[in-house]
Amino acid sequence: MKTGRLVTVPLINDKIFILGWIVSQLFIFCSVMLHLSQDVEALRGELCRKDEECREQERRLAALEQQVQERTGVIVQLQQQLEEAARRRQELQLLRDGEETLSRQAALPLQVKYVTKTVEVESAQSKQALIEAQAHNQALQEQLSVQRQLLRELEQQLHESQRSSSQLRQQILVYEGEMERAQGQLEAEMQSLEEEKNRVIEEAFIRAESEMKAVHENLAGVRMNLLTLQPALRTLTCDYNCLKRQVQDFPYMLEKAITEAKQEICQVIGEVSSANQELLRKYKREMNLRKKCHNELVRLKGNIRVLCRVRPVCAGETDAADTKNKVTFDPDDDAVLYLSNKGKLMTFELDKVFPTQATQEEVFQEVQSLVTSCIDGFNVCIFAYGQTGSGKTYTMEGVPEDPGINQRALRLLFSEVSEKKPDWDYKITVSMVEIYNETLRNLLGDNPSEKLDIKMCPDGSGQLYVPGLTEFTVESVEDINKVFDLGHMNRATACTNLNEHSSRSHALLIVTVAGFNSSTGHRTSGKLNLVDLAGSERITKSGAEGSRLREAQCINKSLSALGDVINALRSKHSHVPFRNSRLTYLLQDSLSGDSKTLMMVQVSPLESNVSESVCSLKFAQRVRSVEIGPSSSSRRQAENSSTSSSPTHDGVEVQRHKHTHPQVFMSENNNVFETFTHNFPSVTNAVATMHSLFHFSSSPVHIYTVIYV
Ligand code: ADP
Ligand code: MG
């Protein structure tokens, strides 16, 4: 069966090709014939039109002949009238002759008188005869006058007849001229039509002849081909019969093949499903491995990654003193930043530094692995830290045409979860919260001024929850935009000046990603907290009072608490002071355990902001460089012993000096970079104030704070 198929297939292909060629030739022949018949049709139409024209000319000729006949009749009538008139003239002539005779007889009066007298005299008979003659004469006279009258009338008639006859003759002449002209035209037209007709017929005939010749030639070629194709057709028929037999056998073969294929498929499915089971087992193992690796990586990298972003000088900041660039970068090391402070160059080392020209996209690329890890069930916190105006909101929220981390993170989550479909089904929910003066406000709720509380779950799991916190499920970018708009609107309605208010409150976007794998039954739940912190600037400079002072104390308290919590976590302290602020308490779940935290320290490049920039960078370095184990504590001891100080208070050295007013100098490696002149009531108070200002209340730090009293 197999070999038969191998031989016949090329043969069939050849024959199909030849048959195709014949069919194409026949098509050409048919199209030529069609073309010819169209030409003949056109010629026939032309002929009909010409015939119609001829008939029209004939009709016109007949009408003209009719007119001629009518005019001939009129002429015959006129001739008859003429003859009648001539006959009357003859009669008239006769009458005239009679009259003349009578007048001549009348001219012989004597003879008649004599006769009369003779008659009178001679006989009554003659008299009678005379009377009669006279009567007769009278009658003749009357007849003569009648005849004269008649003659005059006839003469008149004759004149009129002659006039009308000459008019008619003239008319006849005109008509005859017209007729001749029309006939001449007709004949000329007939002649030209005849010539045209003959010419068209001749042309058509010639064309048809040449086309017919071509068609005949084609036909001869086709015939020849047909003759040559006949054997091919025979073999085709033979092949067809062979194929027919094969087709008849096909159902049986098919059935056999299907049964075999079914068996094979069943076998393969069995193999695949066992391979699948194996893969699933491996996948689960790999997932666990990946999580372990991730945890290991996080452990190696440190729980906290600290990045720094320096914002560019904005268009409005053209003050000559300010535009001097106080921040410089290391071209070979993107983790180092130099700050020129009072003529001294300070070096700060972080995990990564984004220079002024870094784009939102570049910043997001650095944090996107954290964002995606919350799909795997990790809790993530991203903080933007820095003084007011350093670019925290720009980095987190961005501008509509160039969005920041918040919107990019949600877009990335959407695209990642859609890639994981259909195995994984994810639900992404969003909440927005503001912490102002240590109170929590629900920015997506119906009543934004309502204060929220943080409570422990009653199920005993130790988890925290916020009763009444509004959560929106988001599925698209449009949903995110709606949620952001609502949050902004609620934030704006609760305060008089949004800019000021937002710089004194923490804004949190809490994204929860809950996933379910229908094939494995796996469930994951990760939380992404995106926090735009309140401005970190110190109040000591502004010397605020009243509500502003309270705001600043609340901000200091929460930022210090954040620093302490991070420190305690990094140092693996048994007690982590989450409860010291609303912010750390709310984020407790997301800061502890398997969580990941990223601190984006925002810095302004302006000279007037240098001291705040130093503070922010000090905070960043402290957060980053907190280390556990004896090595760091031994280093700290070594550092402490390098200064001639006493007594030691939580890593802060206090020195007594002969100054009248208490003064605080901040220094590093004996370089003083900040001086404070305040009336601190006591050294303890000074130390506490300093720590609160630098948002680090209890832990040992790398810098030295020296207080001279
Ligand atoms: P913050 O939230 O820290 O108070 P903002 O984010 O409001 O500061 O930034 C202050 C100003 O600087 C805004 O006008 C902002 O548009 C601008 N800005 C901040 N960072 C950048 C940047 N990376 N590129 C361009 N403009 C920036
Ligand atoms: Mg802001």
Side-chain angles (χ1 to χ4, degrees):
M1 198 59 73
K2 235 177 191 177
T3 48
R5 211 181 289 165
L6 278 171
V7 173
T8 50
V9 166
L11 242 171
I12 291 164
N13 281 344
D14 282 357
K15 280 153 198 177
I16 287 169
F17 171 75
I18 293 162
L19 262 180
W21 185 83
I22 293 169
V23 170
S24 71
Q25 288 297 317
L26 278 170
F27 266 126
I28 293 166
F29 175 67
C30 287
S31 71
V32 168
M33 284 305 283
L34 193 72
H35 186 62
L36 268 177
S37 71
Q38 280 172 351
D39 277 5
V40 168
E41 269 311 304
L43 281 171
R44 265 191 204 136
E46 181 80 357
L47 211 58
C48 282
R49 206 169 51 73
K50 296 286 176 196
D51 278 352
E52 190 60 35
E53 277 177 11
C54 266
R55 273 197 289 281
E56 182 63 25
Q57 295 292 353
E58 276 167 7
R59 267 198 299 279
R60 276 171 61 190
L61 203 64
L64 281 170
E65 275 173 359
Q66 178 75 22
Q67 276 186 358
V68 169
Q69 269 174 7
E70 279 171 10
R71 304 247 159 99
T72 318
V74 171
I75 290 165
V76 168
Q77 267 183 0
L78 285 169
Q79 275 174 348
Q80 278 172 357
Q81 280 182 2
L82 217 63
E83 277 168 13
E84 180 69 16
R87 201 173 46 77
R88 292 229 174 123
R89 205 154 49 178
Q90 266 181 351
E91 276 179 6
L92 203 65
Q93 196 59 44
L94 278 174
L95 281 171
R96 268 193 194 136
D97 288 351
E99 201 180 4
E100 268 175 33
T101 319
L102 281 175
S103 58
R104 259 196 321 271
Q105 279 177 357
L108 302 168
L110 283 176
Q111 199 185 350
V112 173
K113 211 168 181 178
Y114 173 73
V115 169
T116 309
K117 269 178 185 173
T118 313
V119 171
E120 275 173 2
V121 176
E122 288 178 4
S123 92
Q125 207 178 358
S126 304
K127 215 177 171 179
Q128 186 64 35
L130 183 65
I131 291 167
E132 279 177 14
Q134 276 177 337
H136 184 64
N137 192 20
Q138 187 69 36
L140 278 172
Q141 286 277 356
E142 278 170 13
Q143 218 175 348
L144 185 65
S145 70
V146 169
Q147 285 299 332
R148 267 193 196 127
Q149 182 66 31
L150 208 61
L151 185 66
R152 270 198 301 278
E153 280 175 9
L154 279 173
E155 268 176 347
Q156 243 174 0
Q157 269 186 0
L158 186 64
H159 278 302
E160 275 175 17
S161 290
Q162 275 171 343
R163 204 173 59 243
S164 69
S165 156
S166 71
Q167 274 177 355
L168 282 170
R169 258 196 214 102
Q170 273 174 355
Q171 244 178 338
I172 286 164
L173 281 175
V174 170
Y175 284 141
E176 271 174 358
E178 265 180 31
M179 255 178 64
E180 261 171 38
R181 218 170 33 251
Q183 209 157 359
Q185 271 179 3
L186 201 63
E187 272 166 13
E189 225 165 290
M190 290 265 288
Q191 182 83 19
S192 73
L193 279 175
E194 192 72 24
E195 278 167 10
E196 176 83 354
K197 188 171 109 186
N198 289 341
R199 192 179 57 73
V200 168
I201 288 170
E202 212 166 305
E203 271 176 20
F205 186 71
I206 290 163
R207 207 166 52 234
E209 227 173 9
S210 69
E211 278 167 7
M212 276 301 284
K213 205 170 155 189
V215 168
H216 275 301
E217 277 165 13
N218 269 338
L219 204 63
V222 169
R223 269 197 198 120
M224 277 290 290
N225 285 330
L226 269 173
L227 281 175
T228 52
L229 276 175
Q230 260 167 0
L233 201 66
R234 267 198 292 281
T235 49
L236 259 180
T237 322
C238 191
D239 287 347
Y240 170 72
N241 288 334
C242 179
L243 274 173
K244 208 167 156 185
R245 274 196 299 282
Q246 283 183 11
V247 166
Q248 275 163 359
D249 293 344
F250 187 69
Y252 166 71
M253 280 165 56
L254 187 70
E255 207 171 312
K256 204 172 138 198
I258 285 172
T259 330
E260 278 170 15
K262 266 183 188 165
Q263 280 170 356
E264 271 176 32
I265 287 168
C266 284
Q267 199 182 337
V268 170
I269 285 174
E271 281 168 16
V272 165
S273 75
S274 65
N276 238 357
Q277 291 293 329
E278 178 64 14
L279 277 175
L280 210 63
R281 199 178 55 75
K282 281 183 181 167
Y283 169 71
K284 281 180 184 167
R285 206 184 62 204
E286 287 303 315
M287 282 293 280
N288 286 336
L289 208 63
R290 191 185 143 203
K291 206 161 179 173
K292 267 188 202 159
C293 285
H294 171 84
N295 288 346
E296 189 60 20
L297 190 73
V298 167
R299 198 186 62 74
L300 289 172
K301 268 190 168 181
N303 274 330
I304 316 286
R305 290 194 69 210
V306 184
L307 316 183
C308 174
R309 186 179 191 185
V310 184
R311 76 153 169 89
V313 177
C314 297
E317 301 164 333
T318 48
D319 184 350
D322 262 7
T323 46
K324 267 188 248 155
N325 204 351
K326 293 283 141 190
V327 180
T328 44
F329 306 93
D330 189 330
D332 302 321
D333 190 350
D334 68 355
V336 174
L337 177 138
Y338 303 106
L339 189 68
S340 145
N341 181 30
K342 295 178 181 158
K344 298 209 171 87
L345 199 65
M346 297 172 76
T347 308
F348 295 94
E349 207 183 311
L350 300 113
D351 290 314
K352 188 172 170 75
V353 176
F354 291 104
T356 49
Q357 68 274 15
T359 61
Q360 300 279 66
E361 181 56 35
E362 280 165 16
V363 171
F364 184 67
Q365 268 173 13
E366 198 60 35
V367 306
Q368 68 179 13
S369 63
L370 282 188
V371 173
T372 46
S373 73
C374 97
I375 296 174
D376 298 333
F378 289 99
N379 287 342
V380 178
C381 282
I382 299 175
F383 296 99
Y385 179 99
Q387 71 174 112
T388 299
S390 58
K392 296 183 296 295
T393 307
Y394 186 87
T395 295
M396 298 310 286
E397 288 179 16
V399 283
E401 59 277 10
D402 196 6
I405 292 173
N406 290 5
Q407 190 160 124
R408 285 172 197 266
L410 279 159
R411 280 172 194 251
L412 181 68
L413 287 177
F414 287 146
S415 79
E416 290 283 317
V417 301
S418 73
E419 265 179 31
K420 291 199 166 199
K421 274 177 183 169
D423 290 349
W424 282 91
D425 187 26
Y426 283 96
K427 185 181 167 203
I428 301 176
T429 51
V430 172
S431 298
M432 276 175 93
V433 171
E434 181 191 70
I435 301 174
Y436 174 69
N437 279 356
E438 287 298 288
T439 53
L440 210 65
R441 295 202 304 124
N442 180 14
L443 290 181
L444 300 181
D446 297 331
N447 181 9
S449 53
E450 184 193 355
K451 291 174 187 171
L452 294 177
D453 217 356
I454 305 166
K455 289 201 169 152
M456 196 67 84
C457 275
D459 58 5
S461 62
Q463 297 270 310
L464 294 171
Y465 82 108
V466 182
L469 177 65
T470 311
E471 279 188 340
F472 277 116
T473 303
V474 284
E475 283 169 354
S476 65
V477 178
E478 289 75 43
D479 290 350
I480 310 169
N481 289 336
K482 272 186 212 155
V483 167
F484 286 176
D485 288 348
L486 179 65
H488 284 143
M489 203 179 72
N490 281 341
R491 206 175 180 198
T493 48
C495 60
T496 44
N497 184 337
L498 180 63
N499 275 349
E500 265 187 35
H501 176 82
S502 65
S503 73
R504 287 167 206 164
S505 59
H506 311 298
L508 287 88
L509 175 69
I510 304 164
V511 184
T512 315
V513 186
F516 174 65
N517 188 326
S518 48
S519 57
T520 62
H522 252 82
R523 277 185 194 278
T524 61
S525 177
K527 218 186 235 184
L528 173 65
N529 300 280
L530 301 162
V531 190
D532 183 356
L533 290 168
S536 63
E537 57 272 14
R538 294 155 295 169
I539 47 156
T540 42
K541 280 192 172 176
S542 49
E545 287 174 357
S547 67
R548 180 71 187 96
L549 185 68
R550 166 140 171 72
E551 278 174 357
Q553 281 168 345
C554 286
I555 295 166
N556 277 337
K557 183 181 162 189
S558 56
L559 292 179
S560 300
L562 181 64
D564 291 344
V565 163
I566 291 169
N567 183 265
L569 286 167
R570 288 292 304 260
S571 313
K572 296 228 166 24
H573 285 178
S574 55
H575 172 69
V576 183
F578 288 115
R579 281 175 170 266
N580 281 0
S581 80
R582 290 264 128 183
L583 177 72
T584 49
Y585 193 36
L586 179 67
L587 295 177
Q588 180 171 344
D589 297 343
S590 302
L591 286 166
S592 51
D594 264 357
S595 68
K596 304 176 182 189
T597 301
L598 186 137
M599 181 75 72
M600 181 69 77
V601 176
Q602 293 286 147
V603 170
S604 156
L606 305 183
E607 187 167 26
S608 56
N609 294 137
V610 161
S611 70
E612 286 302 335
S613 300
V614 169
C615 287
S616 295
L617 288 164
K618 290 283 168 197
F619 179 84
Q621 262 194 339
R622 278 186 311 234
V623 166
R624 188 175 165 264
S625 59
V626 168
E627 281 173 19
I628 48 168
S631 57
S632 63
S633 44
S634 60
R635 196 169 73 198
R636 198 165 64 241
Q637 272 175 7
E639 284 162 352
N640 285 343
S641 61
S642 68
T643 56
S644 55
S645 59
S646 73
T648 308
H649 180 92
D650 271 348
V652 175
E653 288 180 33
V654 180
Q655 287 192 343
R656 299 200 170 271
H657 212 265
K658 285 179 185 169
H659 281 291
T660 327
H661 299 292
Q663 276 195 317
V664 177
F665 300 94
M666 278 192 77
S667 66
E668 187 176 61
N669 299 337
N670 292 328
N671 290 325
V672 174
F673 62 83
E674 191 73 68
T675 309
F676 298 92
T677 52
H678 284 281
N679 286 318
F680 295 109
S682 68
V683 170
T684 319
N685 176 275
V687 171
T689 308
M690 290 310 296
H691 279 141
S692 125
L693 290 179
F694 291 95
H695 310 145
F696 236 84
S697 64
S698 59
S699 301
V701 291
H702 278 232
I703 65 149
Y704 308 108
T705 309
V706 187
I707 306 178
Y708 300 91
V709 183

